[in-house]
Amino acid sequence: MKKAGPRTTKNAKATKYQPGTLPTREAILEAVSQFPDIDSKREIARHFGIKGDDRIALKVMLRDMENEGLLARKRKAIRVTSELPAVTVLDIPADADPDNLHAFPARWDEEEGEKPRVTVLAGKDARVVPAPGDRILARIQRGDELAPTYTARAMKVLDKPRKADIGIVRMDEDGARLVPIERKAREMRISAGDLGDAKDGDLVEVEVTLSGRLMIPRAKVISVIGNPRSEGAVSLIALHALDIPYRFPASVIAEAAEAQEATLKGREDWRDIPLVTIDPHDAKDFDDAVHAEPDTDPANSGGHIIHIGIADVAHYVRSGSALDREAWLRGNSVYFPDRVVPMLPERISNDLCSLREGENRAAMALRIVIDAEGNKKRHSFHRVTMRSAARLSYQQAQAAMDGKPDDATGPLLETILKPLWAAYAALAKARNRRGPLALDMPERRIRLDQNGMVVDVFVPERLEAHKLIEEMMILSNVCAAETLEKHRIGLLYRVHDAPSREKLTALGEFLKSLDLPVPRSESLRPRDFNQILYRAEKAGKSEQVNEMVLRSQAQAEYAPGNYGHYGLNLDRYAHFTSPIRRYADLIVHRALIRALGLGNDGLTEAEEGRLAAIGQHISATERRAMAAERETADRLLAQYLASHIGARFTGKIAGIAGAGLFVRLDETGADGFVPVSSLGTDYFRYFEDRQAMIGERTGERFGIGDRVEVRLLEAAPMAGALRFEILSEGERVKPPGPGRGRQRAKRPPIRTKHRPRR
């Protein structure tokens, strides 16, 4: 028999290696790539003519190449790890170095070996600047023809998918089932052996398997997340579903515990200025304090001097620290009816940085001079030590100004509160001249009992005290943006774009359908919208138009590029006043410290280079927080109304789609759905330009903002879903006739009974 030697082909020839030497990794990868039958250690050794003890060294080398992801093993077969496609989705780890980003494929077959590590490039001129924790769509470039080393440039930052397959365990006579939290998902059974340690009512993460010839989906519990009922936290569902971190790592807690109270060193002493905090009565942290006095300068007759103190979070949360990384990851605090998920640990947020009454606190402070008409004449920033003279609630301060002072506000009325209100009166004049968007959208609050159950839904009264603090904070934010622009330091603006042409066109068509005047200009200012709202109110169509004007607006975000704040009608605006609960404000504080030479803990050059990525990230965490708060409110209200099946409610149509109507109840603000199939015996069609559903034969019309009476048919608390039927009749208009409208509703058989989904 002929002795086997090094394998050769027509196009390539294997190199014969001398004893004690091994082929390079590149040579091995080339051989395995080109010759499909070289698929084992033995074949690789034969190909290169490796014998004896050198086979042991080759085995070690091949194992190292597997561990590094260069080779993959499926059973005993060896092959080159699959290449990434030219464009793919990557996940950047949350703990990645912001200055040296890396990522891994979002989807990867583990049989292909270890996930390849991808270096993410982001130059100064990059349109998309990703950050740790982001999921990106990226263009991939392979760095070497042989070894799969990759670099990537981000094309788009993607929304991360919600954590799928989580739900509530419910026990019944047949065993256990999973009630999903997703509204459109179906229940699944859980086999007895797949329940693990889960108990009735537990929120769990599951793995879905298919069983039987009919491939019926079944759930297997992977982990128990918690019990919303026992923890009194329906918000736990939203926290897990949206992947919101709510437990601080031990390193962050330890760093917060070691923090020491700031001293007077390097600070101005403002302890004699009687600043006061005015907040909600149940607030636990106080990050802003205010004071005002008449300006005695004869050149500014009737003017005012305003002092504002904001918690100096930058002193305690240094760039690159464990506290900083966790604050960036969270982006902001999240507020639920049953809990608060803070951006910073309690030692920082509720203690060292909380401007408590009578205690020395470090602050970033602002002195503003305004004239009698509320125009800002000048301002200056200071790093100070202050001492709050009083902790007041909005209701307390307002009651004192309305002639009902209490023991706390009585001594402050003449010296502190009245000067504050006088300064606010001037600022209100300036606000009215500026003409910001004046939408009337009341915000409902949910009050819970000690068991986490809804006991009340209410709209807090909008007081002058609220407006006073709001105007002073807006003015402070403008001052921060102006100062940083003047010193040419990078900053994160709070920007809000003008409505798009498409949305303005849709609004115009809607106004036309209501016989309201349509503005001719394609570029409307906020005061133009206010005119629209005023005319709608006079015509008795305020609710319809308020809803559509709100829908026409763009979403505010954080960005290093300035295009103004449309809603506030301001050319420049940057969040500065809430660094305890917003990372954007902390970045602005650091920028001011650097710009004004107020310490060595200012914005670093590395941070300045990442402002675009930081802005994208915290804009996303803000949207995530809003979604979590909204979904939790939906679940609490659905839970509250579940015992009212069959009850009648009044409300308004808050939205319309081809599938039906969305109705918001007056009393609770709960949103529910009315399927188009339940509107009546007519065929109803959706007219997008009119934001209405109109019957083809009768001309019965249901439009956005219409007042309706509904009956509750179904409530799914874990999904936060309600289903109604409309009892009131719609307005009669001219029937549209066949063939018109966007969608024709299909009419199912008439139902006589409605059974809630389990």
Side-chain angles (χ1 to χ4, degrees), residues 251-305:
S251 60
V252 175
I253 296 295
E255 193 170 278
E258 291 170 2
Q260 299 297 314
E261 186 174 326
T263 65
L264 271 167
K265 185 178 179 181
R267 298 178 180 275
E268 298 177 35
D269 190 346
W270 277 31
R271 288 178 294 178
D272 290 336
I273 300 176
L275 292 132
V276 297
T277 62
I278 305 178
D279 293 278
H281 68 90
D282 56 353
K284 292 185 173 64
D285 56 67
F286 316 107
D287 54 9
D288 58 81
V290 294
H291 170 264
E293 61 188 15
D295 190 356
T296 57
D297 184 352
N300 189 29
S301 178
H304 307 268
I305 299 174

Side-chain angles (χ1 to χ4, degrees), residues 711-740:
R711 178 186 287 120
L712 178 61
L713 299 180
E714 179 184 353
M718 289 304 104
L722 301 170
R723 184 163 64 87
F724 301 126
E725 68 172 347
I726 286 187
L727 302 177
S728 50
E729 292 189 0
E731 178 188 5
R732 300 288 171 160
V733 298
K734 182 179 178 181
R740 295 185 60 203

